[in-house]
Every structure is written in C-alpha cells, then in structure tokens.
Amino acid sequence: MKKKNLFALLMALVMTMSLVACGGGEEEVQEEAPEQNAESTGTPETAFESDLAYIEGKGNMVIGYTVYAPMNYTDDNGEFTGFDTELAIMVCEKLGVEPVFQEIDWGTKEVELAGKSIDCIWNGMTLDAEREANMNCTQPYVKNAQVVVVKEGTEYTDTASLAGMTVVAEIGSAGETQVQEDAGLQQADYVGKSVQTDCLMEVKAGTAAAAVLDMTLAKAMIGEGTDYADLAAGMSLTSEEYGIGFRKDSDITAKVNELMAKWMADGTLQALADKYSLTLAG
C-alpha cells in the first residue's frame, strides 16, 4: 500500500508540473500576439498622416502670404483681396475648410511650412528646382517675370549700368536670386528687404537706384494713378511661372491641381486672371 501510494503521489506531481508548463506557454503566446499584430498593421505613431486629413480635421487651411498686389493685398475699401486670395478661398470652399490668411516672413517660409505654423505658401511664388525639391508644388498657374524698377526717365541700357549702385530685392525671392546670378547685378551694392513693397519705397526715396521684383507686382503698383507714379519697369530679366507650395509629399497638391484644371477648362480661372490683369500659365 505504501508503494502504491508513493507511486500515485509521484504521478500526481508529474501531471501538475506538466499543466503548469503548458499554462506558461499559452501565457507567452498571448503576450507576444499583440506585439506581432502592431508590427503587421502599424500604429498611429508610425502610420502615414494624410495632410488633407490633418487640415480637414482642424477645419481650416492656414495660408502663408506677404502683402503683394495683385496676388494678396488690401484694397482701397479695406478689403483683403487679390488673385491668390480669391483662388485660395474657392479651393477652401471645395475642401469644406475655412481659409486663414497669415502674413509670413518670406525668407523663412519653408521653415514655417514644415513646422506646420502654415499649411501652404500661396503668394505668387516663383517655381524653381530648389523650391520644388523642398516642397510639394502645384502645376504652374500664372506667368511672371523679374523686372528692374527704376525712377521714371532713368536710362539704364543693361544691368551692368547698375554697377556700384544700390539695388534692392526681397530676401528669399526670385528677385534676390537674379541679383546674385546676373553678372551685371553682381557688381551692384545689394541690400535685401523684408517685402517687395519696401523695395519700391527705397527706389521712390532715392536710397536705392533700382529694385528687382516681380512683373506682376510692378504692373499693379507702379506708374500713373498709383503711390509710385514716378517709377517704371526699366528692364525685364527672366520669364517664370507661379505655383502653390504645400508640405513635402502632401496629398492636397493633387486635389488643388484637379480643381485648377477644372476651372481652367471652364473659364473660371481666366475670368479671375482678367480681373487682376494676369496671364495664366500653360
């Protein structure tokens, strides 16, 4: 009897240990399973965030701009308007979000865009290789050129005539790029300004001999009937095109391109361009 009891006790211990071991194995599988699922499906922290969903979620699009007629400016009636202003409002209406216009420092526009203090740069922005590498830009929609603005009656045959004289342009603009790259303007005494309108003020005051800036702004702000009636566009330097800049890899760009293509086809964009004396790209 004692031997039988001892044998039974040993068998019971073996069975108990086996059950414990099996239970522990199941527990390990249950603990690992959620981790494996996270890797296969992705987590909110690692999943790609749609820029469009981000803007729709907060209910507004923050539009970075500088004061630049005829693209974004306040008219004589105190109304904030312009070609880009109206176009941005139209796009926001289609997206179902509110447009929020925020004045920016043009020299740090890419930093503000990447940091999400603004959602786009929509302000007559000249397209170039560097900008298109750092942002997701729309198709070109307006034609432009860089011009040299001087006082009426000033005779400069070429940019080399400005050697040794003070020339101004907006910091970070296509005008500044022209000053830096043009052989004649490289011989001038260059001074960067925060906005293009400051450049016009310098030329009007006589503290600068010339300003290099956008033809579209020059057409709207200089000449007879303007605050800069004594200024004129002396030379045209380059032809270029405007685009809208969104964050790198933003999925909003395709949607905006789609809307602009539709409005180009039905004449809506042409009517808006005629209103502001602009020439559409393409």
Side-chain angles (χ1 to χ4, degrees):
M1 289 294 291
K2 287 182 180 180
K3 288 183 179 179
K4 289 182 178 179
N5 289 339
L6 180 60
F7 178 76
L9 178 62
L10 287 172
M11 289 299 295
L13 285 171
V14 169
M15 292 178 65
T16 302
M17 291 175 67
S18 298
L19 288 171
V20 170
C22 290
E26 290 174 0
E27 188 174 335
E28 284 183 0
V29 172
Q30 289 172 356
E31 287 176 353
E32 289 177 0
E35 188 174 330
Q36 291 170 350
N37 289 338
E39 289 176 357
S40 62
T41 60
T43 63
E45 288 77 18
T46 59
F48 173 74
E49 181 181 38
S50 160
D51 210 25
L52 179 58
Y54 164 72
I55 287 172
E56 288 177 335
K58 65 192 181 78
N60 63 57
M61 181 187 289
V62 183
I63 300 154
Y65 78 97
T66 61
V67 177
Y68 171 17
M71 311 309 284
N72 310 88
Y73 67 103
T74 302
D75 64 18
D76 294 337
N77 298 319
E79 180 182 355
F80 186 66
T81 188
F83 179 89
D84 276 343
T85 301
E86 290 200 39
L87 182 56
I89 291 171
M90 288 165 55
V91 167
C92 285
E93 184 178 350
K94 289 295 183 181
L95 296 179
V97 297
E98 289 294 321
V100 177
F101 292 92
Q102 181 170 309
E103 192 168 358
I104 59 172
D105 181 338
W106 195 250
T108 59
K109 57 189 177 296
E110 290 92 346
V111 176
E112 294 193 51
L113 181 62
K116 290 191 172 181
S117 59
I118 58 174
D119 295 315
C120 60
I121 302 166
W122 203 326
N123 187 224
M125 183 183 73
T126 298
L127 294 173
D128 61 30
E130 183 178 355
R131 286 172 180 168
E132 293 189 72
N134 294 324
M135 292 179 272
N136 200 349
C137 299
T138 63
Q139 293 294 319
Y141 63 106
V142 168
K143 289 183 178 180
N144 184 45
Q146 292 300 307
V147 295
V148 179
V149 173
V150 296
K151 281 200 172 183
E152 187 74 51
T154 304
E155 294 185 6
Y156 293 126
T157 56
D158 53 30
T159 54
S161 305
L162 294 166
M165 299 184 181
T166 300
V167 173
V168 292
E170 182 182 45
I171 296 170
S173 69
E176 181 178 65
T177 300
Q178 282 302 302
V179 174
Q180 295 167 342
E181 295 181 352
D182 183 90
L185 292 172
Q186 287 174 0
Q187 307 307 310
D189 180 14
Y190 171 63
V191 177
K193 307 302 293 184
S194 60
V195 293
Q196 294 196 76
T197 48
D198 285 351
C199 299
L200 295 177
M201 291 172 63
E202 294 283 352
V203 179
K204 181 179 178 67
T207 50
V212 182
L213 41 75
D214 288 4
M215 174 190 68
T216 51
L217 180 138
K219 285 172 62 177
M221 297 198 68
I222 68 174
E224 186 177 353
T226 71
D227 292 336
Y228 302 98
D230 57 340
L231 303 188
M235 291 173 272
S236 180
L237 302 177
T238 61
S239 59
E240 56 196 33
E241 295 174 316
Y242 287 157
I244 306 154
F246 292 93
R247 274 180 282 277
K248 191 69 177 173
D249 300 323
S250 173
D251 54 351
I252 301 177
T253 315
K255 182 64 176 177
V256 175
N257 279 335
E258 178 186 327
L259 288 170
M260 289 200 297
K262 175 186 175 183
W263 292 331
M264 184 80 77
D266 67 14
T268 300
L269 268 187
Q270 186 59 60
L272 189 61
D274 291 343
K275 178 179 178 179
Y276 292 100
S277 301
L278 295 170
T279 301
L280 294 177

